[in-house]
Amino acid sequence: MAQESSVPQHLAGLEPGFDLPALPGMSLSEVQTPALILDLDALARNLRRMSTFVATHGMKLRVHGKMHRSVDVYRLQEQIGGASGICCQKVSEAEVFARAGVKDILISNEVRDPRMIDRLAQLPRFGGRVAVCVDAPGAVADLAQAVARHGYPLDVLVEYDSGAGRCGVQGADAAVALAQAITAAEGLRYAGLQSYQGSVQHLTEFNSRRAAAAEAILRTAEVIDALKAAGLPPETVTGAGTGSYTFETSSGIYTELQCGSYAFMDADYGRVLDIEGRRFDEGLWENALFVLTQVISTAKPGQAVTDAGLKSLTMESGLPLVFGRPGLTCTGVSDEHSQIRDPEGVLRIGERLRLVPGHCDPTCNLHDWYVGLRGDQVEVLWPVSARGRSY
Amino acid sequence: MAQESSVPQHLAGLEPGFDLPALPGMSLSEVQTPALILDLDALARNLRRMSTFVATHGMKLRVHGKMHRSVDVYRLQEQIGGASGICCQKVSEAEVFARAGVKDILISNEVRDPRMIDRLAQLPRFGGRVAVCVDAPGAVADLAQAVARHGYPLDVLVEYDSGAGRCGVQGADAAVALAQAITAAEGLRYAGLQSYQGSVQHLTEFNSRRAAAAEAILRTAEVIDALKAAGLPPETVTGAGTGSYTFETSSGIYTELQCGSYAFMDADYGRVLDIEGRRFDEGLWENALFVLTQVISTAKPGQAVTDAGLKSLTMESGLPLVFGRPGLTCTGVSDEHSQIRDPEGVLRIGERLRLVPGHCDPTCNLHDWYVGLRGDQVEVLWPVSARGRSY
């Protein structure tokens, strides 16, 4: 056995560049598979489309960093995508963006672990505004103590559960009580309300999705009214995802959108239908994210097996789609393989396919690098900067 | 924005130890959540049980490295678990084990990418025996060329598809033809047959599983007979998983077992029933692997929300189980949350739970570290040495 070392073995002893999936200037055919690839033109078009939307409607766009976990993608969202802030789900994830200079970060989640609260309270040392959600009075007290220790300002939002059934207080009274507690706590600034209805986002049919979003918006409006009546009008009302942001926007009560998946798209969002019954991936948003894979076996008639499995794409939202190859269907994914139904037997060993993963967020988190392509040429290699940072 | 750097941002600028989930000597309550934890006593008992089995039955145990991707776990499997070799699914994964000094490695998969074939052909430079599977004549030719370039010996096995429908030749004639091609190729050594029926492993009911395994074994026996008749008896017949290894063993035709999940167990294998109708996780194998999580919200009556989601455990094999807490049930997992049904309302903020993931292999691959516990004390921190190495 080799000698023990303090360097993780998967990083030790590698020739420089040996384990990068590609280098700028390479062609698509030289990218090591399986790899996470980005179509930079499609990505830019998605970002510009959302930028136009928020500019037209006067909404603030706080893009979701948990989706891509990439400082470079966020920079592009700032530059051409109309983003003026980011949300993160975890403190360790937010640390990456804060360290990189992002100046407006919301932890759109509850932080209750004492050590992570302590790290959260230090995040403003990088020079930006930091905010966090709470759904319990105990959280307010803990945050106030941490702020007293470190002396940085911290914005705090009440999280209201408008129907997703996960975190967030239920009922206007609880929301008002929390807003009062935040206001009363020394060092904390009451910054508004988060109301994100996650379970609405993927309802495929437009009218069902609109009706469910309308219900959540109605509940949120009642809470806002109660906060106003208590003298605590929320300066920010934040929420919405790629499946629902038009509804929150037209409600007139939201000030800020937290969309994430629109930038990359995935197979699950692709199935969602717009008001005219068109799939999201047919016109509205383009698939910019793919798992590049290649054929390693054609031993069975009518089938090919490729080299991307559960360690390269996740399956909780169903099978990946084979992009741009209408005759081919992915029929199964195991640890290190995808099975592709190929009735005409057109696939050959080494042939490359672009798979659209079922769910972009956890798929991106499996990889260390994005390979950014302009056409068929590698333009950039971006680290998945916050990969694995779920604490 | 911060300056650009060649060091990935998620590794740059961290205080030493800042991003480790724990350090040896800490108590369980100090482990950062979510974290991948190992009960070292349960692990040792699983390894010893399998060691006794293979010793009793005269089988070679080639444990599956794709399950844990950990050099340290493999070392323990060698020391106390009866393992005398490893199998890997990818060349980059095998490189980690070869570099660490593992002397007997089988790539239990097809390798067709020219650059990965080239890296495979160099693997024996670390001093061990290296073998690979083929299911096409073109693979034999490509391997022979790479061996000629690098001059190291390479063992090659014919992969036969005994029913899983993934890689592997179908039919005895194709297997014989491949064995002949390997034998005829300069520099390659024909080393035997791989026949792994993956789709049998998780059939819950014992008799269904036995019947499906018997069918695969019958097909494999026919191929072995054909190879013998052609003067090419396989010195090794390798396959079997945690759900079927007793069947392959008692068949008398297998020489080598490729089990992986028995060491850690998971929720999906836990549901599999033995000959007496007992669940695998009730007596036969112990849960040694958990995702440690803590409660971050109890805002809803009858429910708690914890901090481990799809980026800490995978869901293609269903929901995780809450270990040792019969009143609690996991009802949903999203990107960064698990929802726990808690009808009695016993859970408190910060309380820690052990979740048994649905599927161990891809769950381990999400994490950078195993936190090894002896009782409630952290004894070791092991890197997931080959995390992300799926190329």
Side-chain angles (χ1 to χ4, degrees):
Chain A
M1 291 292 177
Q3 287 179 307
E4 308 260 354
S5 155
S6 63
V7 178
Q9 271 144 337
H10 63 288
L11 299 175
L14 298 176
E15 296 86 335
F18 193 65
D19 282 85
L20 303 178
L23 289 171
M26 282 183 173
S27 71
L28 181 60
S29 64
E30 294 175 281
V31 176
Q32 188 61 63
T33 64
L36 197 61
I37 63 173
L38 282 176
D39 177 335
L40 296 173
D41 290 323
L43 172 61
R45 286 189 291 268
N46 288 341
L47 300 192
R48 290 206 176 91
R49 178 163 297 158
M50 185 59 91
S51 176
T52 301
F53 179 89
V54 295
T56 305
H57 293 86
M59 299 294 282
K60 179 178 164 86
L61 177 60
R62 180 183 294 286
V63 292
H64 225 311
K66 82 172 168 79
M67 191 281 281
H68 50 64
R69 292 192 147 177
S70 159
V71 169
D72 299 279
V73 174
Y74 177 71
R75 284 177 179 152
L76 196 63
Q77 289 179 305
E78 269 193 345
Q79 287 162 14
I80 67 166
S84 54
I86 197 166
C87 44
C88 295
Q89 289 292 76
K90 296 295 179 79
V91 173
S92 65
E93 187 177 58
E95 286 170 338
V96 172
F97 291 100
R99 224 159 42 215
V102 178
K103 295 299 180 209
D104 186 349
I105 300 176
L106 164 64
I107 314 272
S108 49
N109 195 7
E110 277 57 38
V111 180
R112 301 306 305 268
D113 181 273
R115 278 157 306 173
M116 295 320 290
I117 291 172
D118 202 71
R119 283 165 70 162
L120 167 66
Q122 296 174 68
L123 264 186
R125 77 182 189 275
F126 293 101
R129 171 187 176 246
V130 174
V132 68
C133 293
V134 295
D135 72 356
V140 178
D142 292 348
L143 290 171
Q145 283 181 22
V147 163
R149 275 197 302 278
H150 295 289
Y152 298 109
L154 187 66
D155 281 5
V156 182
L157 288 84
V158 174
E159 180 167 10
Y160 171 66
D161 175 15
S162 54
R166 209 168 57 187
C167 299
V169 295
Q170 287 183 309
D173 291 350
V176 169
L178 261 189
Q180 289 168 335
I182 297 165
T183 307
E186 194 147 357
L188 305 185
R189 195 178 78 86
Y190 164 61
L193 185 69
Q194 172 169 295
S195 176
Y196 172 66
Q197 220 303 22
S199 55
V200 164
Q201 306 303 322
H202 294 265
L203 294 175
T204 307
E205 209 266 315
F206 181 82
N207 285 325
S208 312
R209 200 164 70 256
R210 179 165 58 181
E215 200 177 318
I217 289 164
L218 191 67
R219 288 189 192 138
T220 305
E222 291 168 2
V223 173
I224 295 170
D225 288 344
L227 288 167
K228 284 178 181 167
L232 294 162
E235 74 177 33
T236 290
V237 179
T238 185
T242 296
S244 74
Y245 71 95
T246 56
F247 309 129
E248 282 88 353
T249 297
S250 60
S251 75
I253 63 169
Y254 277 79
T255 65
E256 184 176 285
L257 305 176
Q258 297 184 354
C259 304
S261 302
Y262 76 96
F264 288 177
M265 283 300 288
D266 58 29
D268 205 35
Y269 264 122
R271 286 183 279 271
V272 173
L273 303 178
D274 71 8
I275 191 167
E276 292 166 26
R278 280 179 314 194
R279 293 168 55 104
F280 266 23
D281 61 7
E282 288 179 355
L284 191 57
W285 303 113
E286 296 181 50
N287 289 117
L289 179 83
F290 309 92
V291 174
L292 185 70
T293 187
Q294 70 175 299
V295 175
I296 62 163
S297 174
T298 54
K300 239 62 87 247
Q303 175 179 278
V305 181
T306 80
D307 64 356
L310 296 167
K311 293 172 185 169
S312 303
L313 52 90
T314 68
M315 280 278 289
E316 69 284 345
S317 299
L319 289 162
L321 301 176
V322 185
F323 185 76
R325 300 292 297 265
L328 305 174
T329 313
C330 181
T331 57
V333 178
S334 52
D335 278 355
E336 294 286 9
H337 300 94
S338 291
Q339 287 166 255
I340 310 291
R341 191 192 298 134
D342 175 20
E344 307 292 327
V346 298
L347 290 174
R348 296 288 170 265
I349 294 293
E351 193 163 344
R352 281 143 187 264
L353 298 173
R354 295 182 184 213
L355 301 179
V356 179
H359 187 185
C360 53
D361 313 47
T363 294
C364 295
N365 184 56
L366 292 171
H367 296 262
D368 291 298
W369 300 97
Y370 291 102
V371 179
L373 293 158
R374 193 75 64 186
D376 280 347
Q377 180 128 8
V378 177
E379 183 171 295
V380 291
L381 200 62
W382 288 337
V384 184
S385 335
R387 188 210 59 75
R389 296 182 70 91
S390 290
Y391 42 96
Chain B
M1 290 290 175
Q3 288 180 304
E4 307 261 354
S5 155
S6 64
V7 178
Q9 270 144 337
H10 63 289
L11 298 175
L14 298 176
E15 297 87 335
F18 193 64
D19 282 87
L20 303 177
L23 288 171
M26 282 183 174
S27 72
L28 181 60
S29 63
E30 294 174 282
V31 176
Q32 188 62 63
T33 63
L36 196 61
I37 63 174
L38 283 176
D39 177 337
L40 295 172
D41 291 324
L43 173 61
R45 286 190 291 269
N46 288 342
L47 300 193
R48 290 206 175 89
R49 178 163 300 157
M50 185 59 91
S51 176
T52 301
F53 179 88
V54 295
T56 306
H57 293 85
M59 299 294 282
K60 177 177 167 85
L61 177 61
R62 179 183 296 284
V63 291
H64 225 311
K66 83 172 167 80
M67 191 280 280
H68 50 64
R69 292 192 146 178
S70 159
V71 169
D72 299 280
V73 174
Y74 178 71
R75 282 177 178 150
L76 196 64
Q77 289 179 307
E78 270 194 344
Q79 286 161 14
I80 68 166
S84 54
I86 197 166
C87 42
C88 295
Q89 289 292 76
K90 296 294 179 79
V91 173
S92 66
E93 186 178 60
E95 286 170 338
V96 172
F97 291 100
R99 224 159 41 214
V102 177
K103 295 302 182 207
D104 186 349
I105 299 176
L106 165 63
I107 314 273
S108 49
N109 195 5
E110 278 58 37
V111 180
R112 301 305 305 270
D113 181 272
R115 278 156 306 174
M116 296 320 289
I117 292 172
D118 201 70
R119 282 164 71 160
L120 166 66
Q122 296 174 68
L123 265 186
R125 77 182 189 275
F126 294 102
R129 172 188 175 246
V130 174
V132 67
C133 292
V134 294
D135 72 355
V140 177
D142 292 348
L143 290 171
Q145 283 182 21
V147 163
R149 275 197 302 278
H150 295 289
Y152 298 109
L154 187 67
D155 282 4
V156 182
L157 288 84
V158 174
E159 180 166 12
Y160 171 67
D161 175 15
S162 54
R166 208 168 56 187
C167 298
V169 296
Q170 286 183 309
D173 290 351
V176 169
L178 262 189
Q180 288 167 334
I182 299 165
T183 307
E186 194 147 355
L188 305 185
R189 196 179 77 86
Y190 165 61
L193 185 70
Q194 172 169 294
S195 175
Y196 171 66
Q197 220 302 21
S199 56
V200 164
Q201 306 303 323
H202 293 266
L203 295 175
T204 307
E205 208 265 315
F206 181 82
N207 285 326
S208 312
R209 201 164 69 256
R210 179 164 60 181
E215 201 176 317
I217 288 164
L218 191 66
R219 288 187 192 140
T220 305
E222 289 169 1
V223 173
I224 294 170
D225 287 345
L227 289 166
K228 284 179 179 166
L232 295 162
E235 72 177 35
T236 291
V237 179
T238 185
T242 296
S244 74
Y245 70 95
T246 57
F247 309 129
E248 281 90 351
T249 298
S250 61
S251 75
I253 63 168
Y254 277 78
T255 65
E256 186 176 284
L257 305 176
Q258 296 185 355
C259 304
S261 302
Y262 75 96
F264 287 178
M265 282 299 289
D266 57 31
D268 203 37
Y269 264 123
R271 286 183 278 270
V272 172
L273 304 178
D274 72 7
I275 191 166
E276 291 166 26
R278 280 180 314 193
R279 292 168 56 103
F280 265 23
D281 61 7
E282 288 179 353
L284 189 58
W285 303 113
E286 295 182 50
N287 288 117
L289 179 83
F290 308 93
V291 173
L292 186 70
T293 188
Q294 70 175 300
V295 175
I296 62 163
S297 174
T298 54
K300 240 62 85 245
Q303 176 179 279
V305 182
T306 80
D307 65 355
L310 295 168
K311 294 174 186 169
S312 303
L313 52 89
T314 68
M315 280 279 288
E316 68 284 344
S317 300
L319 290 161
L321 300 175
V322 185
F323 186 74
R325 300 292 297 266
L328 305 175
T329 313
C330 181
T331 57
V333 178
S334 50
D335 278 355
E336 293 287 8
H337 300 94
S338 291
Q339 287 166 255
I340 310 290
R341 191 193 299 135
D342 174 20
E344 307 291 328
V346 298
L347 289 174
R348 296 289 170 265
I349 293 294
E351 193 163 343
R352 280 143 188 265
L353 298 173
R354 296 183 184 213
L355 301 179
V356 179
H359 187 186
C360 52
D361 312 47
T363 293
C364 295
N365 184 57
L366 292 171
H367 296 263
D368 290 298
W369 299 96
Y370 291 101
V371 179
L373 293 157
R374 192 75 65 185
D376 281 347
Q377 180 127 9
V378 177
E379 185 172 292
V380 291
L381 201 63
W382 288 337
V384 184
S385 335
R387 188 209 58 76
R389 297 182 69 89
S390 290
Y391 41 97

